Amino acid sequence: MARVIVDVMLKPEILDPQGQAIARALPRLGFSGVAAVRQGKRFEVDLEGPADEAALADVRKMAETLLANTVIEDYTVRVEP
Amino acid sequence: MARVIVDVMLKPEILDPQGQAIARALPRLGFSGVAAVRQGKRFEVDLEGPADEAALADVRKMAETLLANTVIEDYTVRVEP
């Protein structure tokens, strides 16, 4: 059984109010030195078989159609070592 | 400027209804071979300075107090290569 990680983040040109809220809260909570925070989603996809090229192509299609909104989000797919 | 990634996932013993909903939707959408899906959060924290030990300790404290609910979530902190 292999685990594939799909990270979904807002595209850089899309405003991220959640990340901005966190970044603005930090100084108030005593943290300095943070320039920016962006928040996204992480999916752990456990495959029944090995993470071969066909399975990864399937996960990429899954990310494209189900996990990410590709109008405003980018995704990356990688096999967990 | 360094980027630190904080991944926050529900603890393994905590039910993940979002991940389950995705896993259940997959066969309907033509995807097979997925045993389980879990959904979590990913934070990209851009530091003003380098990601040295002091900065990473700060980010860990930030994850502990602000980004993760450690009663039900685990987090990992790593420097993006």
Side-chain angles (χ1 to χ4, degrees), chain A residues 43-65:
Chain A
F43 298 92
E44 294 179 352
V45 179
D46 291 338
L47 302 176
E48 282 165 1
D52 52 19
E53 224 7 87
L56 284 180
D58 253 18
V59 174
R60 258 180 237 113
K61 204 172 150 201
M62 206 182 290
E64 187 92 26
T65 55

Side-chain angles (χ1 to χ4, degrees), chain A residues 7 42 78, chain B residues 3-5 7 42 76-80:
Chain A
D7 286 323
R42 173 191 157 99
R78 67 177 194 280
Chain B
R3 172 167 288 179
V4 180
I5 307 292
D7 286 322
R42 173 191 157 98
T76 59
V77 172
R78 67 177 194 280
V79 181
E80 196 172 67

Side-chain angles (χ1 to χ4, degrees), chain A residues 13-37:
Chain A
E13 66 271 25
I14 306 285
L15 265 184
D16 175 9
Q18 290 188 98
Q20 288 181 341
I22 294 167
R24 267 201 302 270
L26 290 175
R28 219 175 352 104
L29 294 162
F31 296 104
S32 58
V34 172
V37 178

Side-chain angles (χ1 to χ4, degrees), chain B residues 16-55:
Chain B
D16 174 9
Q18 290 189 96
Q20 287 181 342
I22 294 167
R24 267 200 305 269
L26 290 175
R28 217 170 0 99
L29 294 163
F31 297 104
S32 58
V34 171
V37 178
R38 288 182 77 80
Q39 177 171 353
K41 287 173 284 185
R42 173 191 157 98
F43 298 92
E44 295 178 353
V45 180
D46 291 337
L47 302 176
E48 283 165 1
D52 52 19
E53 225 6 88

